Amino acid sequence: MKPAAFRYHAPKTVDQAVALLAEVAPADGRVLAGGQSLVPTMAFRLARPAHLVDINGIEALDRLATVDGKLAIGACVRHAAFYRAAAEGPLGQLLATVVRHIAHHPIRTRGTFCGSLAHADPASEWCLVATALGAEMVAASKRGTRTIAAKDFFAGIMTTALAEDELLIETHLPPLPAAVQDRRRRSRQPLRGLCA
C-alpha cells in the first residue's frame, strides 16, 4: 500500500514549525522527524494525516549537549547519536548500552530520541529511560514553551500530555550519580537495570 495524499511542509525554524502546527493540527497535521513509527502506519493507511510538518530542516533541533548539568537532547537527535557516550560518567554509558537494544542499525540512524517519547509506545526503551531518570520534556507552541516532567508527560499507551499543536523540541536528562558507576565497576556487570 501507499500513504493517502497529504500536504508536505518543511519549516526552517521552530517558530515556523509551531505556527504551521497551530494551523494544520486541527486538520490532523502530524510532525515528521525520524518517521520510524509514523511512516509505516501511513503506508498501511492506519494513519492518514492531511498534513506532514517535517522538522528535519530545523538546525536548532539537532542539539545534543550538556547544559546546566543536564543532557539536552533535541527533537532531531537520532538514536545512533548514543552509540558513543553523549555525556560523561554513568549516564553516557547507560544511553550507549540502551541504544543497542533499539530495533536495528537502519532504524537507529533515522529514528529520534524525542520521536520515541512523543509516540509513547510502552515498549520504547527511551520512554523507560526518561521515566526512570525523571526526564523533563520541553514543548513549544504559539503560546510559548512549557516543561513537562516525565511523570506527567506519559498519559497512557501511545498518549502524552502534548497538545495537538505542541512540538516536543527537547528532552533534558539529569546526570546519574557516580555511585551507579562505582557499583557497576565492583560487580563488573553491564548496566542492565533499564534495558534488560
Side-chain angles (χ1 to χ4, degrees), residues 136-182:
E136 295 175 332
M137 287 59 139
V138 181
S141 70
K142 283 187 75 174
R143 297 178 301 283
T145 61
R146 67 181 178 128
T147 300
I148 310 166
K151 66 182 181 62
D152 301 317
F153 183 81
F154 299 107
I157 295 174
M158 312 285 193
T159 309
T160 72
L162 290 171
E164 67 177 4
D165 64 339
E166 283 185 308
L167 173 64
L168 176 58
I169 59 172
E170 196 163 77
T171 299
H172 298 159
L173 294 179
L176 284 170
V180 172
Q181 190 169 10
D182 293 340

Coordinates of all heavy atoms in Angstrom, one line a residue, residues 136-182:
E136 N 12.8 15.7 31.8 CA 11.9 16.8 31.5 C 11.8 17.0 30.0 O 12.8 17.1 29.3 CB 12.5 18.1 32.2 CG 12.5 18.0 33.7 CD 13.2 19.2 34.3 OE1 14.0 19.8 33.7 OE2 12.8 19.5 35.5
M137 N 10.6 17.2 29.5 CA 10.4 17.4 28.1 C 10.0 18.9 27.9 O 9.2 19.4 28.7 CB 9.3 16.5 27.6 CG 9.7 15.1 27.5 SD 10.2 14.3 29.0 CE 9.5 12.7 28.8
V138 N 10.5 19.5 26.9 CA 10.2 20.9 26.6 C 9.3 20.9 25.4 O 9.7 20.5 24.3 CB 11.5 21.7 26.4 CG1 11.1 23.2 26.1 CG2 12.4 21.6 27.6
A139 N 8.1 21.5 25.5 CA 7.2 21.6 24.4 C 7.0 23.0 24.0 O 7.0 23.9 24.9 CB 5.8 21.0 24.8
A140 N 6.9 23.2 22.7 CA 6.7 24.6 22.2 C 5.4 24.7 21.3 O 5.0 23.7 20.6 CB 7.9 25.0 21.3
S141 N 4.8 25.8 21.4 CA 3.6 26.1 20.6 C 3.6 27.6 20.4 O 4.4 28.3 20.9 CB 2.3 25.6 21.3 OG 2.0 26.4 22.4
K142 N 2.5 28.1 19.7 CA 2.4 29.6 19.5 C 2.2 30.3 20.9 O 2.4 31.4 21.0 CB 1.3 29.9 18.6 CG 1.6 29.6 17.1 CD 0.6 30.1 16.2 CE 0.6 31.6 16.1 NZ -0.4 32.1 15.0
R143 N 1.8 29.5 21.9 CA 1.5 30.1 23.2 C 2.8 30.3 24.0 O 2.8 30.9 25.1 CB 0.5 29.2 24.0 CG -0.8 29.1 23.3 CD -1.8 28.2 24.1 NE -1.3 26.8 24.2 CZ -1.3 25.9 23.2 NH1 -1.9 26.3 22.1 NH2 -0.9 24.7 23.4
G144 N 3.9 29.6 23.5 CA 5.2 29.7 24.2 C 5.7 28.3 24.5 O 5.3 27.3 23.8
T145 N 6.6 28.2 25.5 CA 7.2 26.8 25.8 C 6.8 26.5 27.2 O 6.5 27.3 28.1 CB 8.7 26.8 25.7 OG1 9.2 27.8 26.6 CG2 9.2 27.1 24.3
R146 N 6.7 25.2 27.5 CA 6.5 24.7 28.8 C 7.3 23.4 29.0 O 7.6 22.7 28.1 CB 5.0 24.4 29.1 CG 4.4 23.3 28.3 CD 2.9 23.1 28.6 NE 2.3 22.0 27.8 CZ 1.6 21.0 28.2 NH1 1.4 20.9 29.5 NH2 1.1 20.1 27.4
T147 N 7.7 23.2 30.2 CA 8.5 22.0 30.6 C 7.6 21.0 31.3 O 6.8 21.4 32.2 CB 9.7 22.4 31.5 OG1 10.5 23.3 30.8 CG2 10.5 21.2 31.9
I148 N 7.6 19.7 30.9 CA 6.7 18.7 31.4 C 7.6 17.6 32.0 O 8.4 17.0 31.3 CB 5.8 18.1 30.3 CG1 5.1 19.2 29.5 CG2 4.8 17.2 30.9 CD1 4.5 18.8 28.2
A149 N 7.4 17.3 33.3 CA 8.1 16.2 33.9 C 7.6 14.9 33.3 O 6.4 14.7 32.9 CB 7.8 16.2 35.4
A150 N 8.5 13.9 33.3 CA 8.2 12.6 32.7 C 7.0 12.0 33.3 O 6.1 11.4 32.7 CB 9.4 11.7 32.8
K151 N 6.8 12.1 34.6 CA 5.7 11.5 35.3 C 4.4 12.1 34.9 O 3.3 11.5 35.0 CB 5.9 11.7 36.9 CG 5.8 13.1 37.4 CD 6.0 13.2 38.9 CE 6.0 14.6 39.4 NZ 4.7 15.2 39.2
D152 N 4.4 13.3 34.3 CA 3.2 13.9 33.8 C 3.1 13.9 32.3 O 2.0 14.1 31.8 CB 3.2 15.4 34.2 CG 3.2 15.6 35.7 OD1 2.5 14.9 36.5 OD2 4.0 16.5 36.2
F153 N 4.2 13.6 31.6 CA 4.2 13.6 30.2 C 3.5 12.3 29.6 O 2.7 12.5 28.7 CB 5.7 13.6 29.7 CG 5.8 13.7 28.2 CD1 5.7 14.9 27.5 CD2 6.1 12.5 27.4 CE1 5.8 15.0 26.2 CE2 6.2 12.6 26.1 CZ 6.1 13.8 25.4
F154 N 3.8 11.2 30.1 CA 3.2 9.9 29.6 C 1.8 9.7 30.2 O 1.7 9.4 31.4 CB 4.1 8.7 29.9 CG 5.4 8.9 29.2 CD1 6.6 9.2 29.9 CD2 5.5 8.8 27.8 CE1 7.8 9.3 29.3 CE2 6.8 8.9 27.2 CZ 7.9 9.2 27.9
A155 N 0.8 9.9 29.4 CA -0.6 9.8 29.9 C -1.2 8.4 29.8 O -2.3 8.1 30.3 CB -1.5 10.8 29.2
G156 N -0.6 7.5 29.0 CA -1.1 6.2 28.8 C -0.4 5.6 27.5 O 0.5 6.2 27.0
I157 N -0.9 4.5 27.1 CA -0.4 3.8 25.9 C -0.5 4.7 24.7 O -1.6 5.2 24.3 CB -1.1 2.5 25.6 CG1 -0.8 1.5 26.8 CG2 -0.6 1.9 24.3 CD1 -1.5 0.2 26.7
M158 N 0.6 5.1 24.0 CA 0.6 5.9 22.8 C -0.1 7.3 23.1 O -0.6 7.9 22.2 CB -0.1 5.3 21.6 CG 0.3 3.9 21.4 SD 1.9 3.8 20.6 CE 1.9 2.1 20.1
T159 N 0.0 7.8 24.3 CA -0.7 9.0 24.7 C 0.2 9.8 25.6 O 0.8 9.3 26.5 CB -2.0 8.7 25.4 OG1 -2.8 7.8 24.7 CG2 -2.8 10.0 25.6
T160 N 0.3 11.1 25.2 CA 1.2 12.0 26.0 C 0.4 13.3 26.4 O -0.8 13.5 26.0 CB 2.4 12.5 25.3 OG1 2.0 13.4 24.2 CG2 3.2 11.3 24.7
A161 N 1.0 14.1 27.2 CA 0.4 15.4 27.6 C 0.5 16.5 26.6 O 0.1 17.6 26.8 CB 1.0 15.8 28.9
L162 N 1.2 16.2 25.5 CA 1.3 17.2 24.4 C 0.0 17.6 23.8 O -0.8 16.7 23.5 CB 2.2 16.7 23.3 CG 3.7 16.5 23.6 CD1 4.4 15.8 22.4 CD2 4.4 17.9 23.8
A163 N -0.3 18.9 23.7 CA -1.5 19.3 23.0 C -1.2 19.1 21.5 O -0.1 19.0 21.0 CB -1.7 20.8 23.3
E164 N -2.3 19.0 20.7 CA -2.1 18.7 19.3 C -1.3 19.7 18.5 O -0.7 19.4 17.5 CB -3.5 18.6 18.6 CG -4.3 19.8 18.5 CD -5.6 19.7 17.8 OE1 -6.0 18.5 17.4 OE2 -6.3 20.7 17.5
D165 N -1.2 21.0 19.0 CA -0.4 22.0 18.3 C 1.0 22.2 19.0 O 1.7 23.1 18.6 CB -1.2 23.3 18.3 CG -1.4 23.9 19.7 OD1 -1.3 23.1 20.7 OD2 -1.6 25.1 19.8
E166 N 1.4 21.3 19.9 CA 2.7 21.4 20.5 C 3.7 20.5 19.9 O 3.4 19.4 19.5 CB 2.6 21.1 22.0 CG 1.9 22.1 22.9 CD 2.0 21.8 24.3 OE1 1.5 20.7 24.7 OE2 2.4 22.7 25.1
L167 N 4.9 21.0 19.8 CA 6.1 20.3 19.3 C 7.0 20.0 20.4 O 7.4 20.9 21.2 CB 6.8 21.2 18.2 CG 8.1 20.7 17.7 CD1 7.9 19.4 16.9 CD2 8.7 21.7 16.8
L168 N 7.4 18.8 20.6 CA 8.4 18.4 21.6 C 9.7 18.8 21.0 O 10.2 18.2 20.0 CB 8.3 16.9 21.9 CG 9.4 16.3 22.8 CD1 9.4 17.0 24.2 CD2 9.3 14.8 22.9
I169 N 10.3 19.8 21.5 CA 11.6 20.4 20.9 C 12.8 19.8 21.6 O 13.9 19.8 21.0 CB 11.6 21.9 20.9 CG1 11.5 22.5 22.3 CG2 10.5 22.4 20.0 CD1 11.7 24.0 22.4
E170 N 12.7 19.4 22.9 CA 13.9 19.0 23.6 C 13.6 18.1 24.8 O 12.5 18.3 25.4 CB 14.7 20.2 24.0 CG 16.2 19.9 24.3 CD 17.0 21.2 24.3 OE1 16.9 22.0 25.3 OE2 17.8 21.4 23.4
T171 N 14.5 17.2 25.2 CA 14.4 16.5 26.4 C 15.6 16.7 27.2 O 16.7 16.8 26.7 CB 14.2 15.0 26.1 OG1 13.0 14.8 25.3 CG2 14.1 14.2 27.4
H172 N 15.4 16.8 28.5 CA 16.6 17.0 29.4 C 16.7 15.8 30.4 O 15.7 15.5 31.1 CB 16.4 18.3 30.3 CG 16.3 19.5 29.5 ND1 15.8 20.7 29.9 CD2 16.8 19.8 28.2 CE1 15.9 21.6 29.0 NE2 16.5 21.1 27.9
L173 N 17.9 15.2 30.4 CA 18.1 14.1 31.3 C 19.1 14.5 32.4 O 20.1 15.1 32.1 CB 18.7 12.9 30.5 CG 17.9 12.2 29.5 CD1 18.6 11.1 28.8 CD2 16.6 11.6 30.1
P174 N 18.8 14.2 33.6 CA 19.7 14.6 34.7 C 20.9 13.6 34.7 O 20.8 12.4 34.2 CB 18.8 14.4 35.9 CG 17.9 13.4 35.6 CD 17.6 13.6 34.1
P175 N 22.0 14.0 35.3 CA 23.1 13.1 35.4 C 22.8 11.9 36.4 O 22.0 12.1 37.3 CB 24.3 13.9 35.9 CG 23.6 15.1 36.6 CD 22.3 15.3 35.9
L176 N 23.5 10.8 36.2 CA 23.4 9.7 37.2 C 24.5 9.9 38.2 O 25.6 10.3 37.9 CB 23.5 8.4 36.5 CG 22.3 7.9 35.7 CD1 22.7 6.7 34.9 CD2 21.2 7.6 36.6
P177 N 24.2 9.6 39.5 CA 25.2 9.7 40.5 C 26.4 8.8 40.2 O 26.2 7.7 39.7 CB 24.5 9.4 41.8 CG 23.3 8.6 41.4 CD 22.9 9.1 40.0
A178 N 27.6 9.2 40.6 CA 28.8 8.4 40.4 C 28.7 7.0 41.1 O 29.3 6.1 40.7 CB 30.0 9.1 40.9
A179 N 27.9 6.9 42.1 CA 27.7 5.7 42.9 C 27.2 4.6 41.9 O 27.6 3.4 42.1 CB 26.7 5.9 44.0
V180 N 26.4 4.9 40.9 CA 26.0 3.9 40.0 C 27.1 3.3 39.2 O 27.2 2.1 39.1 CB 25.0 4.6 39.0 CG1 24.6 3.6 37.8 CG2 23.7 5.0 39.7
Q181 N 28.1 4.2 38.8 CA 29.3 3.7 38.1 C 30.2 2.9 39.0 O 30.7 1.8 38.6 CB 30.0 4.9 37.5 CG 31.1 4.4 36.6 CD 31.7 5.6 35.8 OE1 31.4 6.8 36.1 NE2 32.5 5.4 34.9
D182 N 30.3 3.3 40.3 CA 31.1 2.6 41.2 C 30.6 1.2 41.5 O 31.3 0.2 41.5 CB 31.2 3.3 42.6 CG 32.0 4.7 42.4 OD1 32.7 4.8 41.4 OD2 31.8 5.5 43.3

